[in-house]
Amino acid sequence: MEGYQMVEDKLNELGIPFEIVEHEPALTTEQADSFIEGIEGVRTKTMFLTNRKKTEYYLLIMDDAKLLDMNDFKEKIQANKVRMASSESLMEKMGLPPGVVSPFGLLNNKDKDIKVYFDQAIVDEERMSFHPNTNEKTLFLATQDLFKYLEAIGYEYTILDV
């Protein structure tokens, strides 16, 4: 099933309302932001990270304008070393190419072995935006509905100050 359709079907199944904005492929967060200018909702970036031995995987969701201090994040999650996961690992674990990473890729993670983290700075926002397994659309949904979605597909999440 096509990536976006899987997301739409799951959200509809869960009774979660969402708004979709279609646009040309967004290759950067700046470009994506330009396509959704004026629409309410925090612009997120979702990073797919791994430890040195590629035995643990992490999905970190934060404001797209914020920079991540990898050393601070590594300390907070008690990992030896954290880095961006390879595009091969991203495809293997989430079935996604680079530039399309979002919590919706977790639908493809059969092993349920990715730990999900949110930056404290965005969890009080009313709505968030993500690419729904394609960079040709941006999906907006209520933050609390995103948490409901994660729980429904079998993921716990941790909120950290990053």
Side-chain angles (χ1 to χ4, degrees):
M1 182 186 310
E2 189 251 321
Y4 168 72
Q5 191 60 54
M6 187 168 49
V7 173
E8 183 179 315
D9 291 350
K10 179 53 79 174
L11 293 176
N12 285 333
E13 173 191 319
L14 296 171
I16 294 176
F18 58 93
E19 178 183 355
I20 285 289
V21 176
E22 296 194 22
H23 48 72
E24 59 188 80
L27 304 176
T28 65
T29 54
E30 293 82 15
Q31 191 177 34
D33 287 351
S34 73
F35 296 141
I36 56 175
E37 199 170 321
I39 301 173
E40 283 296 312
V42 68
R43 279 50 173 158
T44 62
K45 68 178 160 193
T46 305
M47 290 182 274
F48 185 56
L49 307 165
T50 188
N51 64 356
R52 180 190 312 257
K53 295 181 180 181
K54 297 183 186 177
T55 56
E56 299 215 359
Y57 292 90
Y58 319 101
L59 199 66
L60 173 62
I61 301 157
M62 58 193 290
D63 188 300
D64 76 354
K66 192 170 186 178
L67 295 176
L68 174 64
D69 179 335
M70 283 281 201
N71 285 326
D72 182 57
F73 180 67
K74 151 186 97 118
E75 294 296 323
K76 287 185 173 158
I77 65 168
Q78 300 178 340
N80 288 336
K81 181 172 167 107
V82 174
R83 61 188 174 106
M84 297 297 283
S86 67
S87 56
E88 293 80 17
S89 292
L90 176 60
M91 185 57 72
E92 176 189 328
K93 291 290 183 183
M94 297 180 75
L96 298 174
V100 186
V101 182
S102 82
F104 300 115
L106 294 170
L107 289 169
N108 300 321
N109 181 239
K110 305 298 182 227
D111 297 330
K112 302 272 191 240
D113 61 349
I114 298 172
K115 295 178 181 175
V116 181
Y117 296 93
F118 284 88
D119 182 10
Q120 175 67 54
I122 64 170
V123 295
D124 291 331
E125 295 287 337
E126 189 174 324
R127 287 190 348 153
M128 294 186 183
S129 65
F130 299 95
H131 286 313
N133 294 349
T134 174
N135 64 355
E136 296 176 339
K137 298 178 191 326
T138 299
L139 185 146
F140 290 83
L141 78 166
T143 300
Q144 292 306 311
D145 285 339
L146 176 62
F147 295 153
K148 176 181 169 183
Y149 154 81
L150 288 170
E151 290 165 3
I153 66 167
Y155 284 88
E156 294 181 6
Y157 55 88
T158 303
I159 298 169
L160 297 173
D161 184 16
V162 292

